[in-house]
Amino acid sequence: MDRPGFTASLVAGGVAGVSVDLILFPLDTIKTRLQSPQGFYKAGGFYGVYAGVPSTAIGSFPNAAAFFVTYEYVKWILHTDSSSYLMPVTHMLAASVGEVIPFSLVQFPLWESLKALWSWRQDHVVDSWQSAVCGAFAGGFAAAVTTPLDVAKTRIMLAKAGSSTASGNILSALHAVWRTQGLSGLFAGVFPRMAAISLGGFIFLGVYDQTRSFLLELGRESP
């Protein structure tokens, strides 16, 4: 990746991270409370849904910037010798290096594939708003299929100290939810999660694409 591309990915990633956190933090708080074993209202309901937004936004800039720099750089390295049918694998590897979580392994290859398909259908590279739409679909799908893992993570975080769930064993947490609440428990909060992450994918990837394109254009125009 050339220097302008590196800088553009760094700044665009940070701007995208701050943008999505400022807008969607309250929805994530509501989703977490819906998944609480205490129940939504006992966990706080709608009270204080904006608490912690400033610190989260400040922390998201370097995290998102680092992720996208790593993602774009690894994707660029692997792309040099990859055939088109290996592109999804390339994007999975790039996402896993940037952030090792199942969500990213689903979202980013799907986002890239949808952009490639849309570009092929219209015979030119997608615009930023189209990239944002692809991000929304990819985010929503990834949110749905990874909801059980998110439920398990939430239960572990909220478990009482010393309990079996508090040990951090995800499989144990999933089994406990399945045993007590069945399939509906494993997918608790799936619709708010899908809505929030679809909107988040639209904002996050759309802002990233638009900001990066803008910065690259500035770099080309600069002497």
Side-chain angles (χ1 to χ4, degrees):
M1 187 185 297
D2 59 8
R3 185 175 178 81
F6 183 90
T7 304
S9 296
L10 184 75
V11 176
V15 171
V18 171
S19 299
V20 76
D21 277 339
L22 288 175
I23 296 171
L24 298 184
F25 186 91
L27 288 178
D28 188 63
T29 301
I30 291 171
K31 181 267 301 179
T32 299
R33 292 174 180 177
L34 283 169
Q35 294 175 348
S36 170
Q38 300 174 275
F40 177 68
Y41 288 103
K42 287 186 177 180
F46 293 102
Y47 178 76
V49 293
Y50 282 94
V53 169
S55 59
T56 300
I58 291 170
S60 68
F61 188 98
N63 290 337
F67 171 79
F68 271 111
V69 166
T70 305
Y71 176 74
E72 294 288 356
Y73 188 72
V74 173
K75 188 174 70 171
W76 176 75
I77 292 174
L78 297 177
H79 179 75
T80 54
D81 296 315
S82 296
S83 302
S84 58
Y85 63 87
L86 292 177
M87 281 298 101
V89 177
T90 296
H91 299 142
M92 287 181 69
L93 289 172
S96 67
V97 173
E99 186 176 6
V100 187
I101 57 171
F103 180 84
S104 294
L105 296 180
V106 177
Q107 182 189 31
F108 279 84
L110 183 56
W111 176 53
E112 298 282 6
S113 297
L114 290 172
K115 288 195 300 176
L117 177 61
W118 202 337
S119 298
W120 175 73
R121 290 293 299 270
Q122 65 185 9
D123 202 29
H124 65 81
V125 176
V126 293
D127 297 323
S128 294
W129 72 267
Q130 294 170 322
S131 177
V133 171
C134 293
F137 277 101
F141 179 80
V145 300
T146 59
T147 293
L149 295 177
D150 191 60
V151 170
K153 181 191 74 174
T154 300
R155 292 300 177 89
I156 290 170
M157 291 171 57
L158 299 177
K160 293 182 179 179
S163 66
S164 58
T165 302
S167 65
N169 189 311
I170 291 179
L171 291 179
S172 176
L174 288 171
H175 183 261
V177 174
W178 171 260
R179 190 177 65 250
T180 58
Q181 295 177 280
L183 192 64
S184 62
L186 290 175
F187 285 90
V190 62
F191 294 114
R193 175 173 162 82
M194 287 179 64
I197 293 181
S198 292
L199 181 56
F202 184 90
I203 298 169
F204 187 51
L205 298 174
V207 169
Y208 170 75
D209 198 276
Q210 179 64 47
T211 305
R212 186 171 184 271
S213 298
F214 173 73
L215 293 174
L216 288 173
E217 185 63 30
L218 282 181
R220 284 191 289 268
E221 294 177 355
S222 299

